Amino acid sequence: MIIDRRFNGPPDTGNGGYTAGLVASQLEVAGDEVAEVTLRQPPPLATPLRVVPTGQGIEVYAEREQPVAEARPVRFDEPMVPAVSYDEAVDAAARYPGFADHPFPTCYVCGPQRPDGLRIFPGPLPDGRGTAAPWTVPEDVTAVTVWAALDCPGGWAIIAPGRPYVLGRMAARVLSVPPAGAGCVVVGAVVATEGRKAQVRSTVYGPGGEPLGYARSTWLAI
């Protein structure tokens, strides 16, 4: 398994959601279970990663036996973040804080300096309801892309100027992979905070308002 250089979050490491989705794709789950992925260190780019089955899931290692991530099947009954209209998402994205202050402006998902990225710019919704952004689905969309799209909108519900966070753990259910070119909406919301940890949720909705995927994540302040 290799994370291509274009799928970065911070400049030299993998985007958390994309990495989690890629790791999740290596784990077989059954019934109502989904993969829950924990990132153990910043995922290296363009580096062969070794996937090792364990009794409870899989572990992913880089060179020198450094643990990068682990995944295990879990029950998943998280509620979805309530939908907003496409116009509301466009309005929120105009207030995206990352346009003025972004810890990783070349992030594949939400970086304003990435014309070849997903261009998801989650801005605040009124009354503190969370974040929303429109998303035009790329040509090379896969289930892993949906994991990536679910990542940053949750993070931007907690990120503040001078207070960067990174993804630590993520579990997601992808209901459907949208077609290329579809105009979707991604929403995120904070559930709870404790110290440097934040629990968030995110949901992707399709052009007709149908849910395409949803996630719960733990973000860590750095």
Side-chain angles (χ1 to χ4, degrees), residues 6 55 130 154 168:
R6 69 177 289 232

Side-chain angles (χ1 to χ4, degrees), residues 44 97 104 108-109 116 123:
F104 311 118
Y108 165 69
V109 175
D116 63 334

Side-chain angles (χ1 to χ4, degrees), residues 83-108:
V84 303
S85 71
Y86 191 87
D87 287 344
E88 287 178 288
V90 170
D91 180 67
R95 297 186 294 273
Y96 176 45
F99 288 141
D101 184 0
H102 199 304
F104 311 118
T106 60
C107 172
Y108 165 69

Side-chain angles (χ1 to χ4, degrees), residues 19-177:
T19 300
L22 193 62
V23 172
S25 71
Q26 306 296 308
L27 179 69
E28 292 188 9
V29 295
D32 293 333
E33 293 180 328
V34 301
E36 180 180 73
V37 180
T38 301
L39 302 178
R40 294 301 183 192
Q41 68 168 323
L45 299 170
T47 300
L49 302 174
R50 187 163 58 92
V51 179
V52 179
T54 68
Q56 296 182 328
I58 58 174
E59 294 178 342
V60 179
Y61 292 88
E63 55 192 21
R64 299 180 182 176
E65 297 301 309
Q66 294 177 326
V68 173
E70 64 182 47
R72 64 188 181 98
V74 296
R75 296 296 297 271
F76 189 77
D77 56 1
E78 293 291 319
M80 299 181 193
V81 181
V84 303
S85 71
Y86 191 87
D87 287 344
E88 287 178 288
V90 170
D91 180 67
R95 297 186 294 273
Y96 176 45
F99 288 141
D101 184 0
H102 199 304
F104 311 118
T106 60
C107 172
Y108 165 69
V109 175
C110 66
Q113 296 179 19
R114 281 297 299 275
D116 63 334
L118 295 187
R119 310 289 291 173
I120 297 175
F121 303 137
L125 288 164
D127 304 322
R129 286 182 289 147
T131 64
W135 174 39
T136 301
V137 180
E139 291 292 332
D140 58 350
V141 62
T142 66
V144 177
T145 317
V146 178
W147 275 72
L150 286 165
D151 178 21
C152 298
W156 279 102
I158 187 63
I159 294 171
R163 183 67 164 169
Y165 280 73
V166 293
L167 182 69
R169 177 174 293 159
M170 184 175 184
R173 186 185 302 281
V174 176
L175 302 170
S176 179
V177 176

